[in-house]
Amino acid sequence: MTITDWPRSAVDPDPDSASPAAVSGTPASVSQTPGAASDAPEPASETESGTGTEPSPGKLTGTQKWAAGAIVAAALVLAGIGLYLSFEHVAVFAHEELRFGSLGKGQLFAVGVDVGIMVMIAVDLLMAWLKRPISWIRYPVWLLTGATVVLNAASGAPEAAWTLLDYVAAGAHGVVPVLFIMVVELGRTSIDRIVRPDQDERDSIPWIRWVLAPVATARIFRRMRLWGVTSYPEMIRRDQELIAYEQWLKRKHKGDITQADEDELLPMKMAPYGYTVDQALAMPDEQEQAAQEREEEAERRRLDAETRSEVAKAESEVERLRAKGKVEMIQAEVDGQTGQARAHARAQVSAAERAAELEQEALDNAVIAEARAREAEAERKEAMEREAKAEADLRAAELERQAAEKRKEVAEADRVAAAEAQAIETQTIAEARKAAAEADKAAAETERDAAETRRATAETDREKAEEERRQAIALADIARAQKEAAEAEKAAAETRRAVAEIERRAVEAEDIAKLKPRERAVRKVARMALAAGLVTVGLKSDEIHREACRVIKITDIQNELAVTSPGTASEYRQEAAELLAGGYRP
């Protein structure tokens, strides 16, 4: 609930104090502890060696160390004095009054008590020095010290009635132990302030306030101790704010504070629990906000649960559909493998029929090739005859050339003779002879050219005949190769037909035996190995497997069985080798 602004207290809040966050349960510490002189500037500390440099917090100067050493030495001296004074009295009292039996046992009792006190004091100071103080350890120390004081006082108690001097004497026995405990507590507090300079310190309430307002001061003291408020000014500020708010509330309702609603009365109700006015007034809004956040968190968790439930249902449906799909896929795979086996069988029968047709075509091709071979042989013989004729023509042309040469020589001789007889023959006869010689020479030239032409023609005919002979030989070789290929094709066709017949019988036997697709595939691979020339006689299982790996390849198995995985093909080959080793024969 929101209320109108109320007048603030005349006392300003302590700037060194921070208001704590409101909580639904016990409030935590509400303020930082201000120093004892938080409003006054700190005096300059003594510098080290006159250099003007301030020592760091927790560090002691040389003078301070000497002073601390002197204090520790004095405390040890005080402890020694106390032990000395109480040892004999406690030992005698333990022997005589406490019935320890002998004086030695009484002395051991006194030593044990004193040593126990010293050990616990040393542990308390050590843990305070290590910033790990043990708060409860001081109470056993106080108890044991009080016990020694009582024992010392009891050892000097008079047998008759106590006088004032007896009470003074009994009290004097406790002066040194109590003084020692006070020194120890002072040292412990000093060590704690040195090793933990930032630790909050609880302010003390002025004694004058206890005198002037003891009841209100007791309430303030109680609230400071219960709820961890270490600052006295902060506690005063809270009390003043509460009083000012109560006065404002009375003025608002014309003096009748009972007319205020529950939210307006919250500061008075929550003040004993350490809440400030602002924290108490903010509680309804904060609680409503927290409730709303809890509702939102609950709604979010509900929606998350519904979402997870829907996701689980969807995943369950997906798993069911996936399982159903796997079953359908396996069924389709089985049907496909069965159909594939049947299709392989039909394809093999068709291949056998096609092989028979090819065999017939190969026979026809062989006859044709043989006829072509005979024709090529005839052409070769004819070419050889033409080559012989060309050689004869070449020899005739050579003879004609030689005759022409002879005639030329005769003509030259006639010319020489005509020249010799020129002196005696007439010019007419010489000219006639000269014309005849020229005519003979022209005839000889013509005959020689004709002989050259015939010789070239004969050489051309011979080369042509040689080329035709080579072609005839090549045709004969081709025909012979075609014949051999036809015979090989015929043998292969016979083999394929036999293999197809074996495969057909094996497929029929497998259909009768109702074998699974994998068993059919393994037997198919075994038949492939046998068809590839695998011999299993006298071989062991691993030797048969090695031979099977040699004669058939993984790719052949994949192509034949239409499998994509090399691992599956390898497994088929391994199982086929084991099947052959077991005596399988199609």
Side-chain angles (χ1 to χ4, degrees), residues 69-135:
I71 293 172
V72 171
L76 293 176
V77 171
L78 182 61
I81 293 173
L83 293 176
Y84 174 76
L85 292 176
S86 66
F87 173 74
E88 184 176 358
H89 296 289
V90 174
V92 172
F93 184 78
H95 167 61
E96 295 179 354
E97 303 296 335
L98 300 180
R99 299 180 180 87
F100 269 84
S102 63
L103 183 60
K105 292 182 179 180
Q107 292 175 347
L108 287 176
F109 171 74
V111 171
V113 172
D114 293 338
V115 171
I117 293 173
M118 298 303 295
V119 169
M120 284 188 287
I121 288 173
V123 172
D124 187 20
L125 295 178
L126 176 62
M127 296 308 295
W129 192 9
L130 297 177
K131 300 182 182 181
R132 297 291 187 272
I134 303 175
S135 59

Side-chain angles (χ1 to χ4, degrees), residues 3 57 104 107 114 133 265 267 317 415 423 433 454 464 546 566:
I3 63 174
Q107 292 175 347
D114 293 338
L265 294 176
E317 183 67 18
R415 188 180 62 80
R433 288 180 179 177
R454 285 194 297 274
K464 183 177 180 181
R546 284 197 297 271

Side-chain angles (χ1 to χ4, degrees), residues 405-422 425 429-441 444:
E405 290 288 338
K406 291 291 185 181
R407 284 194 295 271
K408 182 178 179 183
E409 292 177 357
V410 172
E412 186 67 25
D414 290 342
R415 188 180 62 80
V416 171
E420 292 177 352
Q422 185 177 6
E425 290 181 354
I429 295 171
E431 292 177 355
R433 288 180 179 177
K434 182 179 179 181
E438 292 179 354
D440 291 338
K441 182 179 179 181

Side-chain angles (χ1 to χ4, degrees), residues 450-525:
E452 288 291 335
T453 301
R454 285 194 297 274
R455 188 180 65 81
T457 303
E459 184 68 23
T460 302
D461 292 339
R462 187 184 65 79
E463 292 176 355
K464 183 177 180 181
E466 182 68 21
E467 181 66 24
E468 290 177 353
R469 184 177 66 81
R470 287 195 298 270
Q471 291 178 356
I473 293 172
L475 289 175
D477 293 339
I478 292 172
R480 186 166 55 255
Q482 290 177 348
K483 182 177 180 181
E484 292 174 354
E487 293 175 356
E489 183 66 25
K490 180 179 179 182
E494 289 291 338
T495 302
R496 286 194 296 272
R497 184 170 61 182
V499 171
E501 183 64 23
I502 293 172
E503 187 71 21
R504 185 180 62 79
R505 290 198 301 271
V507 171
E508 291 176 354
E510 291 172 355
D511 291 337
I512 294 172
K514 296 182 179 179
L515 298 178
K516 296 180 180 179
R518 186 177 183 88
E519 295 175 343
R520 291 174 181 268
V522 171
R523 281 164 171 75
K524 175 68 175 177
V525 175

